[in-house]
Amino acid sequence: MFDLNMIQSLYAKFPDRVNAAHTLLDRPLTLAEKILFVHLHADQTLENFKRGTSYVDFAPDRVAMQDATAQMALLQFMQAARPQVAVPSTVHCDHLITAKVGSSEDLHRAKTESKEVFDFLSSVSNKYGIGFWKPGAGIIHQVVLENYAFPGGMMIGTDSHTVNAGGLGMVAIGVGGADACDVMAGLAWELKFPRLIGVKLIGKLNGWTSAKDVILKVAGILTVKGGTDSIVEYFGEGAEALSCTGKGTICNMGAEIGATTSTFGYDDSMKRYLVATGRAEVAKAADAIKEHLTADIEVYQSPEKYFDQVIEINLDELEPHLNGPFTPDLATPISQMKEMAAKNGWPTKIEVGLIGSCTNSSYEDISRAASLAQQVADKNLKTKAEFTITPGSEQVRYTIEKDGLLKIFDKIGAKVFANACGPCIGMWDRIGAEKQEKNTIVHSFNRNFAKRADGNPNTYAFVGSPELVTALAIAGDLNFNPLTDTLINEAGEQVKLDAPTGYELPPNGYAVEDAGYQAPATDGSGLQVLVSPDSERLQLLAPFAAWEGTDLKGLKLLIKAKGKCTTDHISMAGPWLKFRGHLDNISNNMLIGAVNFFNEKTDLIKNQLTGEYGSVPATQRAYKAAGIGTIVVGDENYGEGSSREHAAMEPRHLGVRVVLTKSFARIHETNLKKQGMLALTFADKSDYDKIQEDDTIDIVGLTEFTANIPLRIVLHHADGNSETIVVNHSYNTQQIAWFKAGAAINLIKG
Ligand code: MIC
Ligand code: SF4
């Protein structure tokens, strides 16, 4: 068991700190508020912070990083020159494993291909006191839930789905590597005090509906940006009846509505899960301060008084949903899928069903999906689509194998991939994907942005529960509604699938032979971390230059991105993941997925110096060589999705100075600020229309750059006209100092 002392000492302080907040605010508190107030940094005074406005300093209990983001986080940490990490931290190797043939072969190949990176991560971890989870151990969020998450705790992680740990009653937040670096270096971690959204779950899940459908429904209501700068707190009889891992699924996909995080009050399901995962003592400690690990009673009785927004969902009536394609908030109840697919021309033949991922690979998920797979043999059916499973951890994989569940999937021809992200992040060597054929897949992951799973822009990916995905893979048809429809079996008979059944926790307990953990050296001071100067995969960071002290004049428009521009569009994953530790090499993917407003094409923009059209990275490199700064213009919720700070570091490295959008996703905006970029928003969103392809642009007001005071932008159009527009920013005094220093890290080192 990890961290017991840390947890006990936090719990010892918990009641006093909650009471201090009670006294100051003189009203009942939500759970989210309690956790936030308990985790104020020692130098932060307790105040009645303004939600959505006040910047507040916190002291998280721990940090988690995954291999694809840890490289940059730890390269920055090395620059900070600290002997050891200041809070318990872990690294998880999960993103760099390509799914192709099956678990053991794929894992073996990844260990060879990415040896240099895994060795680097292992040795940095060893030196600085960081726990290291080897390739094959599992996906970060599942491993964290099984080993580290605890009720009432606060953690940050360099992955947007860190929020998964809300399933165990944490406030767990996804951040960029620079934020993780601050906390590991012993500094405060700053966050805008969140708004609070309450989701009351009444009734109880039944039949085909699962926890996944709760969040698919919420995503449909709130959309991909509705949770921005908010913590979502779930409560009500329906919440208590959910399993702990089901709660994790709901919190996990809170990233898809842009929420800062989501959480649930401590209850029996969490206790059962803690006990089942070998942490009875954590449960005992939590029991002792139970009333502080959930909201005050009055809050859940009159939620509208305490939350900024309240949503009520009746689980008795909730239908299974499928969200997609291309965005996780396009929610369609299964009964309406036939009509929606016909109306929109979505291909209805399902090619592949994929279950697992960090979102949905609990024992409960797998056992419920297996109950459907079992019906294939029982009812003399034949599975129509291909089927794959990516277990979330070695502990889950080992247990489902031992309990015979994998055998059931084997009978329907399923491929078991390594305990890793695999197809969820484009690490799927899918045969034929390069032909770019229009096709449909269904999966139980969380994201379905264009090209995300297999690199094919014409793959229509729909997100559903593992149960629904399994039923749809059996039917091979997006129009199939297992609640009402029948299938024709091999004997030509009409058969109906029974609703799934499963186990909340393994009836015979979890088991594992080698969980894949490597503890760090107790004294790493003598250890060396080597990065070869001619490595293609790793590159030590050079500091970004400080601000020149003047307004930015004569910037060229690099690209005006149209519509959805997620971090997958800005810094694509899949094959590019291999350059996550090498800033110059990965910069060759900068914005190659963004749609150019002026020609509706991706990766084809005008070079204003030559008039020629070329790729985004090459054009930007040409501006850089000419010593000319540039600006990127974006639409709503720019930078949605991942925490990858490469999406901010690449433009910074290549000489983009400003990103101007209608709105930003939280993590990306912070990442831009941390790396010394200017992240600005149109004061009047319709000014987006004023930006022309040949514009030369000045940023005015920087010499008096002050919190809460807008800046101005002068657009010099090619026809000789110019116009001035007002742009907002959300920089506070400290963040302005980051901009001036060239990056936040330049101040830590100083
Ligand atoms: C994702 O789901 O998009 C990722 C890949 O896990 C990212 C992290 C990354 O880009 O490395 C995330 O969610 O933050
Ligand atoms: Fe990995 Fe996908 Fe989860 Fe991201 S969302 S951590 S890529 S499994």
Side-chain angles (χ1 to χ4, degrees):
M1 197 191 330
F2 300 95
D3 296 343
L4 185 61
N5 290 342
M6 180 265 273
I7 297 171
Q8 285 170 335
S9 76
L10 177 76
Y11 283 179
K13 294 180 277 200
F14 221 98
D16 283 351
R17 292 192 179 180
V18 170
N19 290 335
H22 267 140
T23 311
L24 178 86
L25 273 76
D26 195 23
R27 62 164 171 81
L29 297 173
T30 63
L31 168 64
E33 287 171 304
K34 290 184 187 179
I35 302 177
L36 292 170
F37 284 122
V38 163
H39 287 88
L40 293 182
H41 189 266
D43 297 335
Q44 171 71 60
T45 48
L46 173 64
E47 289 163 34
N48 191 358
F49 302 111
K50 257 182 115 187
R51 297 179 191 170
T53 310
S54 309
Y55 282 103
V56 181
D57 282 344
F58 293 99
D61 301 311
R62 67 162 28 258
V63 174
M65 294 161 278
Q66 42 87 342
D67 50 2
T69 50
Q71 299 172 59
M72 224 26 117
L74 292 170
L75 285 164
Q76 293 176 81
F77 183 73
M78 285 163 68
Q79 286 190 303
R82 300 291 199 274
Q84 282 257 312
V85 285
V87 299
S89 305
T90 48
V91 165
H92 304 258
C93 297
D94 53 2
H95 281 63
L96 299 178
I97 301 165
T98 305
K100 187 176 181 182
V101 189
S103 168
S104 64
E105 201 175 322
D106 292 349
L107 187 58
H108 181 75
R109 188 181 349 96
K111 282 185 185 163
T112 320
E113 260 170 22
S114 292
K115 182 171 188 318
E116 182 186 4
V117 171
F118 294 141
D119 287 351
F120 167 75
L121 291 173
S122 155
S123 65
V124 187
S125 300
N126 201 19
K127 178 168 176 62
Y128 294 110
I130 300 171
F132 180 71
W133 290 82
K134 296 181 242 179
I139 309 174
I140 175 169
H141 313 302
Q142 184 68 32
V143 174
V144 165
L145 196 71
E146 285 171 6
N147 295 280
Y148 299 108
F150 65 96
M154 176 189 264
M155 69 177 265
I156 59 167
T158 60
D159 191 282
S160 63
H161 294 107
T162 301
V163 293
N164 188 72
L168 251 176
M170 275 197 127
V171 160
I173 302 180
V175 297
D179 283 40
C181 180
D182 284 357
V183 174
M184 292 189 293
L187 304 176
W189 176 66
E190 184 195 67
L191 178 75
K192 211 189 269 171
F193 201 84
R195 273 187 259 264
L196 304 172
I197 300 177
V199 179
K200 181 172 185 180
L201 302 178
I202 58 170
K204 218 174 154 208
L205 290 176
N206 57 76
W208 283 89
T209 315
S210 83
K212 182 77 156 197
D213 299 302
V214 175
I215 185 61
L216 294 178
K217 171 87 185 168
V218 170
I221 297 170
L222 285 175
T223 78
V224 287
K225 57 188 285 241
T228 308
D229 288 335
S230 304
I231 296 188
V232 185
E233 185 167 328
Y234 292 83
F235 60 94
E237 46 167 353
E240 277 165 39
L242 291 167
S243 65
C244 174
T245 51
K247 291 178 168 90
T249 297
I250 293 174
C251 293
N252 182 302
M253 267 196 80
E256 274 53 66
I257 53 168
T260 301
T261 191
S262 309
T263 195
F264 285 81
Y266 179 60
D267 64 16
D268 265 8
S269 72
M270 296 186 193
K271 182 175 177 170
R272 290 193 295 275
Y273 186 73
L274 284 170
V275 172
T277 51
R279 292 173 289 169
E281 286 191 68
V282 175
K284 197 168 134 211
D287 279 340
I289 58 155
K290 206 153 115 193
E291 75 270 28
H292 300 298
L293 299 176
T294 188
D296 294 326
I297 296 172
E298 299 87 331
V299 169
Y300 294 159
Q301 278 168 350
S302 318
E304 52 304 323
K305 279 202 210 151
Y306 304 100
F307 291 101
D308 300 294
Q309 181 180 358
V310 178
I311 295 170
E312 186 173 294
I313 297 177
N314 184 346
L315 302 186
D316 289 332
E317 290 164 7
L318 183 66
E319 253 194 81
H321 278 63
L322 275 181
N323 287 23
F326 306 121
T327 183
D329 59 351
L330 182 54
T332 307
I334 190 69
S335 62
Q336 288 166 34
M337 193 38 135
K338 197 171 182 170
E339 199 185 316
M340 280 290 280
K343 193 167 104 200
N344 294 293
W346 297 336
T348 54
K349 175 168 183 279
I350 295 174
E351 304 290 340
V352 194
L354 307 98
I355 65 165
S357 90
C358 67
T359 333
N360 269 110
S361 57
S362 63
Y363 192 87
E364 183 179 42
D365 290 331
I366 304 288
S367 61
R368 282 172 61 88
S371 77
L372 292 162
Q374 178 61 41
Q375 295 178 45
V376 172
D378 295 351
K379 302 191 177 200
N380 194 15
L381 285 158
K382 208 171 153 208
T383 308
K384 299 277 167 44
E386 282 174 52
F387 194 73
T388 74
I389 306 164
T390 39
S393 71
E394 175 56 13
Q395 175 160 278
V396 164
R397 194 210 61 78
Y398 189 92
T399 312
I400 59 175
E401 179 169 55
K402 178 175 83 55
D403 291 356
L405 301 178
L406 282 184
K407 245 198 218 119
I408 302 176
F409 289 114
D410 195 42
K411 284 196 205 123
I412 66 163
K415 242 187 216 170
V416 181
F417 290 140
N419 312 319
C421 301
C424 178
I425 190 55
M427 297 298 272
W428 183 20
D429 198 345
R430 184 178 177 195
I431 296 162
E434 69 292 345
K435 289 189 226 141
Q436 307 215 337
E437 283 161 350
K438 196 167 165 179
N439 78 101
T440 286
I441 62 174
V442 283
H443 63 59
S444 72
F445 311 158
N446 38 35
R447 297 200 167 134
N448 53 358
F449 304 137
K451 300 193 197 176
R452 181 170 168 104
D454 61 1
N456 174 1
N458 301 316
T459 292
Y460 288 59
F462 295 85
V463 182
S465 68
E467 298 88 317
L468 189 62
V469 166
T470 309
L472 291 173
I474 294 170
D477 181 4
L478 198 63
N479 290 338
F480 175 65
N481 177 359
L483 282 79
T484 51
D485 299 350
T486 51
L487 295 167
I488 308 286
N489 73 5
E490 294 299 278
E493 299 153 348
Q494 292 211 345
V495 293
K496 201 156 176 274
L497 294 175
D498 303 323
T501 54
Y503 300 91
E504 178 189 89
L505 293 163
N508 304 316
Y510 285 107
V512 67
E513 234 160 45
D514 174 10
Y517 177 70
Q518 173 188 299
T522 21
D523 176 10
S525 56
L527 301 173
Q528 289 262 333
V529 178
L530 298 175
V531 171
S532 152
D534 43 44
S535 167
E536 274 207 323
R537 305 272 314 252
L538 296 164
Q539 182 185 42
L540 293 174
L541 293 169
F544 292 131
W547 171 54
E548 54 270 62
T550 59
D551 281 342
L552 303 180
K553 294 259 170 82
L555 305 181
K556 297 291 182 194
L557 174 72
L558 180 68
I559 181 170
K560 173 167 161 177
K562 182 176 175 187
K564 210 173 188 55
C565 192
T566 72
T567 45
D568 281 6
H569 297 77
I570 306 170
S571 175
M572 200 160 280
W576 290 94
L577 285 180
K578 71 167 174 284
F579 298 122
R580 282 292 185 88
H582 196 295
L583 183 55
D584 194 52
N585 283 346
I586 196 155
S587 295
N588 290 329
N589 78 358
M590 186 185 76
L591 283 157
I592 61 176
V595 176
N596 178 1
F597 178 89
F598 300 104
N599 60 12
E600 310 250 327
K601 297 215 160 81
T602 52
D603 204 22
L604 193 68
I605 55 164
K606 185 166 182 181
N607 176 338
Q608 292 195 39
L609 304 176
T610 61
E612 278 162 21
Y613 283 79
S615 82
V616 184
T619 308
Q620 178 56 36
R621 285 194 192 269
Y623 286 125
K624 185 178 185 182
I628 296 173
T630 61
I631 164 168
V632 168
V633 172
D635 216 313
E636 293 282 7
N637 209 24
Y638 181 90
E640 158 189 355
S642 157
S643 67
R644 61 191 78 144
E645 64 195 327
H646 306 78
M649 293 179 90
E650 294 173 26
R652 181 75 176 100
H653 171 65
L654 292 185
V656 178
R657 303 300 301 272
V658 183
V659 181
L660 168 65
T661 67
K662 291 185 187 167
S663 63
F664 284 102
R666 175 189 61 89
I667 309 179
H668 186 60
E669 184 177 21
T670 307
N671 286 345
L672 287 168
K673 290 176 177 177
K674 281 252 146 137
Q675 300 301 337
M677 294 276 289
L678 272 181
L680 307 175
T681 51
F682 293 101
D684 177 353
K685 288 186 182 179
S686 65
D687 286 346
Y688 172 89
D689 302 328
K690 294 186 177 153
I691 311 286
Q692 296 176 16
E693 194 171 24
D694 290 306
D695 279 353
T696 300
I697 297 167
D698 303 335
I699 315 294
V700 184
L702 287 175
T703 47
E704 290 102 46
F705 194 7
T706 314
N708 304 317
I709 299 187
L711 295 167
R712 274 157 296 130
I713 283 191
V714 186
L715 306 171
H716 302 279
H717 302 309
D719 63 5
N721 287 327
S722 60
E723 48 190 330
T724 301
I725 60 172
V726 177
V727 290
N728 292 333
H729 69 81
S730 62
Y731 289 71
N732 61 18
T733 309
Q734 170 169 313
Q735 295 166 348
I736 291 173
W738 300 343
F739 167 73
K740 291 186 173 165
I745 187 90
N746 293 350
L747 293 175
I748 307 190
K749 281 185 297 188

